[in-house]
Amino acid sequence: MLEIRDLSCLRGDRLLFADLDLSVLPGERVRLLGPNGVGKTTLLRCLCGLIDPEEGEIHWNGHSIRSEREDFHRQLLYIGHSTALNDLLTPLENLRFTCRAGTDQVEEQACVEALERIGLGAQIDLPCRALSQGQRRRVGLARLFLGGERRLWILDEPFNALDVAAVADLASSLDAHCAAGGIVVLTTHQDVSFSHPGRVVDLAGHAC
Amino acid sequence: MLEIRDLSCLRGDRLLFADLDLSVLPGERVRLLGPNGVGKTTLLRCLCGLIDPEEGEIHWNGHSIRSEREDFHRQLLYIGHSTALNDLLTPLENLRFTCRAGTDQVEEQACVEALERIGLGAQIDLPCRALSQGQRRRVGLARLFLGGERRLWILDEPFNALDVAAVADLASSLDAHCAAGGIVVLTTHQDVSFSHPGRVVDLAGHAC
Amino acid sequence: MLGPFIAVLRRDLLLAWRGRADVLVTIGFFVVVACLFPFGVGAEPNQLREIAPGILWVDALLATLLSLHRLFAQDHADGSLEQLLLSPEPTVLWVSAKVLAYWLTTSLPLVIAAPGLGLLFDMEQGSLKVLCLSLLLGTPMLSLLGAVGAALTLGLRGGGMLLALLVLPLFVPVLIFGAGAVDAYLGGSGSDAHLLLLAGGSLAALVLAPWACAAALRIAAE
Amino acid sequence: MLGPFIAVLRRDLLLAWRGRADVLVTIGFFVVVACLFPFGVGAEPNQLREIAPGILWVDALLATLLSLHRLFAQDHADGSLEQLLLSPEPTVLWVSAKVLAYWLTTSLPLVIAAPGLGLLFDMEQGSLKVLCLSLLLGTPMLSLLGAVGAALTLGLRGGGMLLALLVLPLFVPVLIFGAGAVDAYLGGSGSDAHLLLLAGGSLAALVLAPWACAAALRIAAE
Amino acid sequence: MTRSRFNIFRFAVPQNFYPLAGKLAPIFAVTAAVLFLAGLWISFFIAPTDAQQGEVYRVIFIHVPAAWMSMFIYLVMAFWSAVGLVFNTRLSAMMAHALAPTGAMFCFVALWTGALWGRPTWGAYWVWDARLTSQLLLLFLYFGYIALINAIDDPRRADKAGAILALVGAINVPIIYFSVKWWNTLHQGASVSLTKAPSMATTMLMGMLVMAFAAWAYTIAVTLWRVRSLILERERNAEWVNEELDRLEAAA
Amino acid sequence: MNWGSAEAFWNMGGAATFVWGSYAVTLIVIVVELILLFQRRKNTVSRLLRLRRGRSARRQPANVSESP
Ligand code: HEM
Ligand SMILES: Nc1ncnc2c1ncn2[C@@H]1O[C@H](COP(=O)(O)OP(=O)(O)OP(=O)(O)O)[C@@H](O)[C@H]1O
Ligand SMILES: Nc1ncnc2c1ncn2[C@@H]1O[C@H](COP(=O)(O)OP(=O)(O)OP(=O)(O)O)[C@@H](O)[C@H]1O
Ligand SMILES: [Mg+2]
Ligand SMILES: [Mg+2]
């Protein structure tokens, strides 16, 4: 369970939002809404512990994510704006590295299957530099199939640059994760059809 | 009028598409369609003259874009995946530079108005590094309001990262440009409602 | 016609101004490297005085080298280069503007800082003057040749090092005539010939290098 | 526990292998810069032999410097750094792996190339051996201190130069003891003390630097 | 997908050059081998012992041809690059590309043999003499060219970038050569200048010439073979390459 | 004939290291170049064959794969 208490975030000299309270139960999908620049990315990075909030606390299963960092990060899967791909490595090598660096024990075979499943079977040996925008995003998203026991997924505009088929596929993966008791927090400006509506948090309401 | 004759494009080892023929008349909007990695971006960059095609010719108003490069580029406005923003400069400085470097004579005031119109009034003095993803894209798109007499707009996924209001705004700008006799060639995976449907070219049909 | 030239020059100078610290850092690097040599080589004043022109020239060359790969890298990464290549005016124009701005913001400060360093090495006034003059006349050639190298290695792996490997052999004549000018002055044969050669080289590079650079940039953007 | 350590080490070595040309290019840079000095300083064999250890040490230092800013830059730009910071294991672990991979792929080749260059400067066997040993013991300290600098300047403008300015003063002691070792050997007082100091410095850096580096990276990612 | 491009020279078209190169290369290879053996025979069994230097001088039979070849190959590379850039013929850039490794090889051999020769004659493996130094710089130019080409993975881009670099380098080669020469005479140091044998015995000259011709034939053979691989890579989407691959597949 | 014996030949008047060092390294370098040359040829051909096989395999299902 993810709890946000009284959160406010500052960027430069601008207070983006203040007094944000939110608690997300297992199985819930939360979509952050708001116009460009309202602070969605900032909030997500706060939730991951990459940015220190100006005020307020974030708790995971009752513990502050600061004090229990390692436990929290063992449960967290974050996919941000940037794809975290090294241009010289192939999709397979990149995926394997991301998993291992996050201490997920994955087999080579599982990585290959994840990449094939996400439609990169033909590009498995190409350096990532050669991939198209959408293909790069797919490599990052392949991680979702391999982070099985991670409960909390935080996704920043995951549908960007994906084609229609991939969007539908990803949406159903998110649904499946929630159905299995996971939590998904995401932002997107696109209207995507999920199997059930999920919760929507409008950040514009908290903006300063 | 834009004419593509018998075009084929090679990336690395892979022939992306071959024997593509297309002619676009003034006032038309063409949307390239196709799954991720089919070669939309490559085609658009070919059309701009940034990539040499493997075979085939591209003509603008009856002249090859190779031989009449300068005339063609005076008519062309290309907005690609990358935003062409320098992180240290403010949106205003970036916009002014892009216009001047493209030999558009624009007033400072016009730039300010374009930025305000696109919703960046508050960020006009912030270095671009501090902007959010959507705000960065908006700075790039502000150029569209200032390239008045450029007939051919080539836009690569312009709706990426934009919020709902900005998407609608941009769509109506594109409509207006076509109504004034301009040409728009764009790709996008999002379904955007335009005032009239426009032409759709499915690149998957030409893929090799 | 001059639109892109002026736009690029203005922007690059503005960027240098925005990051004024960088200019100071370049000078800082120049000074610190020069100060390393006494540590490495030993502090005997006569020996130091003798090798000072050579060291300062090598130092200037290294400072140029270290900053060269920034010349187009940023524009390439953020897509500005693409936009510039789509400008209707000839590419050589704005390439020249970029190199000019680069020279003004990195080489010129070195020329200005050199006399101070010369004093550290106890060089005498006359040879110091010749040294500065040789730097002033020689560094444009370094910038221009370096720009070609920077354009050729744009976006490649191992960028900075590869660039160094490409351009250092080309820099050797500049180094020889530059450091040689001081020796010739001290030897009594006068440094005019050397300085003229440096100036001539810079002029020739000014005429030829922007073309090579423009061609290389077109290739890099593909 | 060692998962991220091994993953990062493997990947960075793989990357070096993928761009194996880079390693050669590093050596190429090392050689080319060493060859510049005779042009600047003059070709007198005795003088060259005398300043050779200093030159090679300064050269090694510059080669380190030029490649340092690549240490975290790529990972920062493409977002891998963020992902690594979200790894459950302590940050120092994988930071050490990165520095180790860096040392193996850039400093070790220099140590191996140094004897060849020593011959170019006509150094004699004994002092050449001392020089190589001093490089072997001293370069880990350069890499570790440099990594802290690289982490501190990550994502700042004027990165490479600023980094140079930050770490060069820290490198000076290494340079003094490194080049001093050869002098001590030639002076007959034996080079053991110098070499021991270098080894001690490297060990101390090995213990402390990764912590500083990890803290700096956390700040840079904010 | 055959290309119909107008060309003055029939063999400037890769498709026509490829089989021609395949036929010529073995002829030159055999010539090279024969000349090389003859040269070895002359250098060890016919050429007499040198009065001043003793037997060491026998290094000359590879040193000098290698030095000549290394300089000549760079010129040829620059020539092909210029042709490629001016007339936009793809084959020219490939030729330049194919020549580079061999040029670097000869350059290295000249340096290596020179260094080994220098030790007994001058007492040092290396002195900063003008001729030696410019040879070293030439090696760096070769390395730069090869490193650049290897760092680019798009072959067409690699060819074009390489051509630009080769040309810029070639304009600089004479400048480097003369500046280095001048530099060395300016600092009249303790360095020894190359001691030229007073009047070369005719057998010696003959041995050198035979070896030089062997090096020529070798270079041509190797370059033709290399350019065949390059042509296949660059033209892989052409119909004739497809047919050639059919043939190769059947042969394998 | 210059050499009285095979031993004298290999000794090269005391300059064996230098003369044979030169000839041997030259030979090695040439052999290495030739090996690399033919390896390259082999790699190129096998790579092109592999690519061609891949392409003809992909051509059939290409349009069915994942178009919307
Ligand atoms: C690393 C050391 C050396 C290098 C790089 C080197 C380089 C060269 C080069 C580039 C040439 C051709 C120059 C021309 O034709 O104008 C050459 C020719 C020659 N070298 Fe060397 N050399 C080296 C050492 C030596 C030594 C030690 C000797 C003998 C003492 C020697 C004797 C000769 C002779 C006799 C020629 C032919 C001269 C002529 O045809 O004009 N070289 N060397
Ligand atoms: N130094 C600063 N000074 C003032 N404002 C800043 C500074 N740095 C960042 N900001 C503002 O903080 C906001 C950051 O927003 P963030 O990236 O979280 O937006 P977002 O909701 O993710 O938007 P998008 O939908 O475009 O991705 C932006 O509005 C930006 O202008
Ligand atoms: N060196 C290479 N070898 C093989 N394939 C390559 C190489 N370089 C690029 N490609 C392929 O070329 C295609 C480039 O596609 P492009 O970027 O034009 O796609 P796109 O249609 O814009 O896709 P998206 O919708 O994801 O933006 C990709 O499928 C990529 O895998
Ligand atoms: Mg965002
Ligand atoms: Mg695309």
Side-chain angles (χ1 to χ4, degrees):
Chain A
M1 179 178 153
L2 183 72
E3 270 188 290
I4 301 171
R5 296 195 199 131
D6 206 20
L7 201 71
S8 42
C9 260
L10 190 73
R11 296 262 79 185
D13 47 18
R14 194 174 138 210
L15 194 64
L16 290 183
F17 49 83
D19 309 324
L20 188 72
D21 285 289
L22 180 69
S23 55
V24 190
L25 294 173
E28 266 193 306
R29 188 185 66 244
V30 177
R31 175 177 169 196
L32 296 180
L33 213 64
N36 289 140
V38 79
K40 301 180 293 300
T41 298
T42 312
L43 175 57
L44 293 186
R45 287 169 57 88
C46 257
L47 289 185
C48 295
L50 285 170
I51 299 183
D52 280 336
E54 183 65 8
E55 244 173 281
E57 302 248 327
I58 302 166
H59 287 246
W60 172 250
N61 291 340
H63 303 286
S64 155
I65 63 166
R66 288 276 128 203
S67 57
E68 306 274 311
R69 183 188 86 78
E70 307 201 349
D71 269 351
F72 175 60
H73 281 167
R74 226 178 282 285
Q75 300 280 314
L76 168 73
L77 206 152
Y78 168 67
I79 296 185
H81 255 305
S82 34
T83 46
L85 301 184
N86 189 297
D87 273 350
L88 296 184
L89 298 179
T90 67
L92 181 59
E93 287 159 349
N94 266 308
L95 183 60
R96 198 176 47 199
F97 168 70
T98 328
C99 290
R100 300 251 167 99
T103 66
D104 285 338
Q105 297 302 329
V106 291
E107 299 294 308
E108 178 99 8
Q109 193 49 36
C111 291
V112 174
E113 275 160 20
L115 286 172
E116 273 168 358
R117 166 142 184 230
I118 210 153
L120 291 175
Q123 278 78 27
I124 228 159
D125 282 329
L126 218 58
C128 279
R129 168 172 32 105
L131 297 186
S132 82
Q133 206 65 19
Q135 287 169 335
R136 298 175 67 89
R137 270 222 87 83
R138 287 176 185 220
V139 181
L141 294 171
R143 180 86 204 280
L144 294 179
F145 301 135
L146 297 170
E149 70 285 29
R150 293 179 177 245
R151 317 308 313 268
L152 176 61
W153 290 2
I154 296 190
L155 311 175
D156 196 355
E157 309 208 22
F159 301 108
N160 248 1
L162 291 184
D163 63 24
V164 190
V167 167
D169 194 30
L170 177 59
S172 68
S173 304
L174 299 188
D175 278 335
H177 181 67
C178 289
I183 296 181
V184 175
V185 182
L186 83 163
T187 82
T188 177
H189 296 295
Q190 264 168 277
D191 263 323
V192 177
S193 58
F194 288 101
S195 68
H196 70 109
R199 201 154 127 210
V200 173
V201 173
D202 191 351
L203 215 57
H206 298 267
C208 297
Chain B
M1 180 178 155
L2 184 70
E3 269 188 290
I4 301 172
R5 295 194 200 133
D6 206 21
L7 201 72
S8 42
C9 260
L10 187 75
R11 295 263 80 185
D13 295 329
R14 199 176 135 204
L15 193 65
L16 291 181
F17 49 84
D19 309 322
L20 187 74
D21 285 288
L22 181 70
S23 55
V24 191
L25 294 173
E28 269 193 302
R29 188 184 66 243
V30 176
R31 174 176 169 197
L32 295 180
L33 214 66
N36 288 140
V38 78
K40 302 180 293 299
T41 299
T42 311
L43 175 56
L44 292 186
R45 288 168 55 87
C46 257
L47 289 185
C48 295
L50 285 169
I51 299 184
D52 279 336
E54 183 66 7
E55 246 172 282
E57 303 247 325
I58 302 166
H59 287 246
W60 171 251
N61 290 340
H63 302 287
S64 155
I65 63 166
R66 289 274 127 201
S67 56
E68 306 273 312
R69 182 188 87 77
E70 308 201 348
D71 270 351
F72 175 59
H73 282 166
R74 226 178 284 284
Q75 300 280 315
L76 168 74
L77 207 154
Y78 168 68
I79 296 185
H81 257 307
S82 35
T83 45
L85 301 183
N86 190 297
D87 273 352
L88 297 183
L89 299 181
T90 67
L92 182 59
E93 286 159 347
N94 266 309
L95 183 60
R96 198 176 46 198
F97 167 70
T98 328
C99 291
R100 299 252 166 100
T103 65
D104 284 339
Q105 298 301 329
V106 291
E107 299 294 308
E108 180 98 8
Q109 193 49 36
C111 291
V112 174
E113 275 161 20
L115 286 170
E116 274 167 359
R117 165 140 185 230
I118 209 153
L120 292 174
Q123 279 78 26
I124 225 157
D125 282 329
L126 220 57
C128 279
R129 170 172 30 105
L131 297 187
S132 81
Q133 206 64 17
Q135 286 168 336
R136 298 174 68 87
R137 269 222 87 82
R138 287 176 185 222
V139 181
L141 294 170
R143 180 85 205 281
L144 294 179
F145 302 135
L146 297 170
E149 70 288 24
R150 295 183 175 241
R151 317 309 312 270
L152 176 61
W153 289 2
I154 295 189
L155 311 175
D156 197 355
E157 310 208 18
F159 301 109
N160 248 2
L162 290 186
D163 63 23
V164 190
V167 166
D169 194 29
L170 178 58
S172 68
S173 303
L174 299 188
D175 278 335
H177 181 66
C178 288
I183 295 182
V184 174
V185 182
L186 84 163
T187 82
T188 177
H189 296 295
Q190 266 170 276
D191 264 322
V192 176
S193 59
F194 288 101
S195 69
H196 69 110
R199 206 156 124 206
V200 173
V201 174
D202 191 350
L203 216 54
H206 297 267
C208 294
Chain C
M1 177 77 187
L2 279 178
F5 182 90
I6 291 171
V8 169
L9 186 63
R10 260 186 71 171
R11 186 194 62 153
D12 279 16
L13 291 180
L14 177 64
L15 274 172
W17 176 246
R18 193 69 31 102
R20 304 177 261 292
D22 293 8
V23 177
L24 294 179
V25 170
T26 309
I27 299 181
F29 176 81
F30 187 58
V31 173
V32 172
V33 169
C35 296
L36 281 183
F37 280 94
F39 293 115
V41 168
E44 217 182 318
N46 281 330
Q47 194 186 32
L48 280 182
R49 187 177 321 115
E50 214 169 294
I51 63 175
I55 285 181
L56 288 184
W57 254 101
V58 171
D59 190 4
L61 213 145
L62 290 172
T64 308
L65 213 60
L66 257 181
S67 49
L68 254 186
H69 83 117
R70 286 188 328 201
L71 182 50
F72 301 111
Q74 186 55 43
D75 287 348
H76 182 247
D78 69 20
S80 302
L81 194 65
E82 260 174 24
Q83 291 295 340
L84 282 170
L85 284 172
L86 293 180
S87 159
E89 300 297 343
T91 311
V92 265
L93 258 184
W94 59 262
V95 167
S96 315
K98 272 201 95 71
V99 180
L100 176 58
Y102 173 78
W103 184 80
L104 286 174
T105 54
T106 54
S107 296
L108 198 57
L110 299 190
V111 178
I112 294 168
L117 283 182
L119 289 181
L120 272 188
F121 286 96
D122 199 22
M123 282 172 73
E124 48 119 356
Q125 281 238 306
S127 52
L128 203 51
K129 231 169 73 185
V130 175
L131 178 70
C132 292
L133 211 56
S134 71
L135 280 172
L136 190 66
L137 293 174
T139 43
M141 190 165 167
L142 295 187
S143 304
L144 286 159
L145 285 177
V148 179
L152 281 172
T153 56
L154 203 55
L156 301 184
R157 41 193 156 75
M161 288 275 179
L162 181 59
L163 172 59
L165 190 60
L166 290 191
V167 297
L168 275 181
L170 305 181
F171 283 0
V172 165
V174 187
L175 178 62
I176 289 177
F177 290 117
V182 183
D183 281 345
Y185 169 82
L186 289 176
S189 63
S191 55
D192 290 1
H194 288 80
L195 295 178
L196 274 179
L197 274 170
L198 284 177
S202 288
L203 272 182
L206 185 62
V207 175
L208 297 176
W211 296 95
C213 208
L217 285 176
R218 288 214 163 267
I219 298 170
E222 258 204 10
Chain D
M1 178 73 185
L2 280 180
F5 183 89
I6 290 172
V8 168
L9 186 62
R10 259 187 72 170
R11 185 194 63 151
D12 279 16
L13 291 180
L14 178 66
L15 273 172
W17 175 246
R18 193 65 31 101
R20 35 184 183 274
D22 292 10
V23 177
L24 294 179
V25 170
T26 309
I27 299 181
F29 175 81
F30 187 57
V31 174
V32 173
V33 169
C35 294
L36 281 183
F37 283 96
F39 295 114
V41 168
E44 219 181 316
N46 284 328
Q47 193 186 32
L48 281 181
R49 189 175 317 117
E50 215 168 289
I51 61 176
I55 286 181
L56 289 185
W57 255 101
V58 171
D59 189 3
L61 214 144
L62 289 173
T64 308
L65 215 59
L66 252 184
S67 49
L68 254 185
H69 83 117
R70 285 189 326 200
L71 184 51
F72 300 110
Q74 186 55 44
D75 288 348
H76 183 247
D78 68 21
S80 301
L81 194 66
E82 261 175 24
Q83 290 296 340
L84 282 169
L85 285 172
L86 293 180
S87 160
E89 302 296 342
T91 312
V92 265
L93 259 185
W94 59 262
V95 167
S96 316
K98 271 199 97 68
V99 180
L100 176 58
Y102 173 79
W103 185 80
L104 286 175
T105 54
T106 54
S107 295
L108 197 57
L110 299 189
V111 178
I112 293 168
L117 283 182
L119 286 183
L120 276 188
F121 288 96
D122 202 21
M123 281 174 73
E124 49 120 356
Q125 282 236 308
S127 51
L128 202 51
K129 232 168 73 185
V130 175
L131 177 70
C132 292
L133 210 58
S134 72
L135 280 173
L136 190 66
L137 294 174
T139 44
M141 190 164 166
L142 294 187
S143 302
L144 286 159
L145 289 177
V148 179
L152 281 172
T153 56
L154 204 54
L156 301 185
R157 41 193 157 74
M161 282 280 177
L162 183 56
L163 171 58
L165 197 58
L166 271 188
V167 297
L168 272 181
L170 300 179
F171 283 2
V172 166
V174 187
L175 179 63
I176 290 177
F177 288 113
V182 182
D183 281 345
Y185 168 83
L186 288 175
S189 62
S191 55
D192 292 359
H194 287 82
L195 294 179
L196 274 178
L197 274 170
L198 283 178
S202 287
L203 272 180
L206 186 60
V207 175
L208 299 175
W211 297 95
C213 209
L217 284 177
R218 289 215 161 267
I219 298 169
E222 256 205 7
Chain E
M1 254 203 308
T2 37
R3 273 161 249 277
S4 56
R5 253 180 221 173
F6 175 72
N7 258 305
I8 313 169
F9 306 106
R10 201 172 104 74
F11 290 115
V13 183
Q15 178 177 1
N16 298 330
F17 189 75
Y18 180 84
L20 179 71
K23 281 200 206 88
L24 288 181
I27 301 177
F28 280 104
V30 171
T31 316
V34 170
L35 285 175
F36 187 60
L37 287 178
L40 279 183
W41 181 259
I42 295 174
S43 46
F44 284 116
F45 297 108
I46 296 189
T49 307
D50 187 77
Q52 295 169 352
Q53 300 198 21
E55 308 292 352
V56 200
Y57 92 97
R58 287 180 200 279
V59 173
I60 201 172
F61 296 108
I62 34 181
H63 174 73
V64 174
W68 284 344
M69 234 27 233
S70 65
M71 293 186 287
F72 184 66
I73 288 179
Y74 199 88
L75 288 183
V76 178
M77 256 172 66
F79 167 76
W80 283 123
S81 301
V83 170
L85 285 179
V86 172
F87 297 110
N88 203 12
T89 46
R90 282 165 301 164
L91 187 56
S92 322
M94 289 184 225
M95 284 302 279
H97 186 158
L99 278 163
T102 309
M105 191 272 286
F106 278 122
C107 203
F108 170 77
V109 167
L111 281 168
W112 178 266
T113 53
L116 280 184
W117 194 357
R119 178 70 201 193
T121 26
W122 304 334
Y125 287 105
W126 182 261
V127 292
W128 292 91
D129 170 86
R131 206 192 269 177
L132 316 196
T133 310
S134 41
Q135 187 76 3
L136 184 66
L137 290 173
L138 185 63
L139 184 69
F140 292 154
L141 285 178
Y142 273 120
F143 280 168
Y145 180 87
I146 293 171
L148 179 67
I149 280 193
N150 282 333
I152 306 179
D153 9 56
D154 181 15
R156 286 195 301 173
R157 185 184 162 191
D159 283 348
K160 284 189 214 159
I164 292 175
L165 181 66
L167 265 190
V168 172
I171 294 174
N172 273 275
V173 162
I175 301 176
I176 292 175
Y177 184 74
F178 286 112
S179 66
V180 168
K181 208 161 180 166
W182 196 9
W183 160 69
N184 193 258
T185 46
L186 283 176
H187 305 249
Q188 205 28 277
S191 61
V192 193
S193 67
L194 284 187
T195 48
K196 227 178 172 176
S199 69
M200 238 178 254
T202 41
T203 42
M204 239 191 252
L205 190 63
M206 230 193 31
M208 256 164 57
L209 285 180
V210 170
M211 284 297 230
F213 282 123
W216 266 71
Y218 170 84
T219 308
I220 296 175
V222 169
T223 307
L224 290 180
W225 269 323
R226 196 175 283 123
V227 92
R228 269 164 66 88
S229 302
L230 292 176
I231 290 177
L232 277 190
E233 287 239 323
R234 307 296 193 273
E235 304 285 304
R236 66 185 145 236
N237 286 301
E239 197 50 51
W240 71 268
V241 171
N242 215 11
E243 286 159 17
E244 172 72 16
L245 286 177
D246 285 338
R247 228 168 300 137
L248 289 168
E249 200 169 27
Chain F
M1 195 63 88
N2 302 312
W3 318 100
S5 63
E7 206 169 302
F9 178 64
W10 292 118
N11 187 40
M12 270 294 146
T17 337
F18 305 112
V19 175
W20 294 125
S22 302
Y23 278 81
V25 167
T26 308
L27 211 66
I28 292 172
V29 173
I30 288 178
V31 168
V32 167
E33 193 191 8
L34 288 174
I35 290 175
L36 288 178
L37 185 67
F38 289 110
Q39 230 168 33
R40 173 170 196 163
R41 165 88 184 171
K42 234 171 62 193
N43 287 345
T44 307
V45 170
S46 64
R47 206 172 73 99
L48 290 185
L49 286 175
R50 191 155 30 93
L51 283 175
R52 200 170 64 151
R53 253 174 262 134
R55 195 181 300 161
S56 52
R58 215 179 303 140
R59 188 156 287 172
Q60 286 95 36
N63 293 336
V64 221
S65 64
E66 46 179 339
S67 46

